[in-house]
Amino acid sequence: MNAYAVFAATEGEDVNPLLPETYDIVWSIVCVVIIGAVFYKYVIPRLTKVLDERSDKIEGGIARAEAAQEEAKQTLQQYQQQLTDARTDAARIREEARTQGQQILAQLRAEAQAESDRIVASGHAQLEAQRQQILTELRSEVGRTAVDLAEKIIGQSVSDEAKQAASIDRFLNELDQSDAGIGVGR
């Protein structure tokens, strides 16, 4: 078409370029109705079903999340209770151990004190026995020395044992009395 034909067609008729032809409008309405019917019959039910499923999944997910959260809270409470019980048990065990330790220490101290007292008593007894032995040896030695001196001084033999023992005892008693007065020997 040339420009002249377009110009001639537009001049003869008063046509609005924005309005389509009537057959175009009718066929467009028919197509829209068919597409709308297909959408209403097939697409909208599927879309509704998918949206309902998604909504159920979301609501179910929320419910499961709430259930899981409630279960987590209960588990946390159980854990905290167990932790509290464990701490209480630990404190009780520590206290029992401390008490047992103090009892053991007291028992060991008592045993050590008893052993120490026994050793000291044994030492004193041994010292007393040695002292007695030394005193006995000293008495006999001093007695012999006294008899020897007496024989030298008298010039006679002091062979009578009864007299000799009596002289030794008298001499030692005098020696003990003089030591007791001075504080020597004990």
Side-chain angles (χ1 to χ4, degrees), residues 16 29-30 61 83 93 100 104 116 120 123 130-131 142-143 146 166 179:
N16 187 353
I29 289 175
V30 169
L83 186 61
I93 290 170
Q100 287 177 352
I104 290 170
S116 172
V120 168
Q130 287 178 351
R131 181 176 174 268
V142 167
D179 284 345

Side-chain angles (χ1 to χ4, degrees), residues 96-111:
E96 286 176 3
R98 185 178 304 121
T99 303
Q100 287 177 352
Q102 289 173 350
Q103 289 173 349
I104 290 170
L105 281 176
Q107 181 181 3
L108 289 175
R109 283 182 184 141
E111 289 175 2

Side-chain angles (χ1 to χ4, degrees), residues 12-124:
E13 298 176 19
D14 199 17
V15 178
N16 187 353
L18 295 177
L19 270 174
E21 294 292 327
T22 311
Y23 68 89
D24 282 338
I25 293 175
V26 170
W27 283 112
S28 295
I29 289 175
V30 169
C31 287
V32 167
V33 168
I34 292 172
I35 291 173
V38 168
F39 261 85
Y40 186 73
K41 178 86 171 153
Y42 297 107
V43 175
I44 290 179
R46 284 188 179 185
L47 183 63
T48 304
K49 182 180 175 184
V50 168
L51 288 176
D52 288 343
E53 287 176 0
R54 181 175 271 180
S55 176
D56 288 342
K57 283 183 182 179
I58 289 172
E59 289 174 4
I62 290 172
R64 285 190 304 272
E66 287 175 353
Q69 188 175 12
E70 186 63 33
E71 185 179 337
K73 283 181 183 178
Q74 289 176 353
T75 304
L76 178 63
Q77 288 175 348
Q78 289 174 353
Y79 170 74
Q80 288 175 341
Q81 182 63 36
Q82 289 173 350
L83 186 61
T84 303
D85 293 344
R87 286 181 179 159
T88 304
D89 288 345
R92 181 184 48 80
I93 290 170
R94 275 194 309 269
E95 189 60 36
E96 286 176 3
R98 185 178 304 121
T99 303
Q100 287 177 352
Q102 289 173 350
Q103 289 173 349
I104 290 170
L105 281 176
Q107 181 181 3
L108 289 175
R109 283 182 184 141
E111 289 175 2
Q113 184 64 38
E115 184 67 17
S116 172
D117 292 344
R118 186 191 63 78
I119 290 171
V120 168
S122 172
H124 284 306

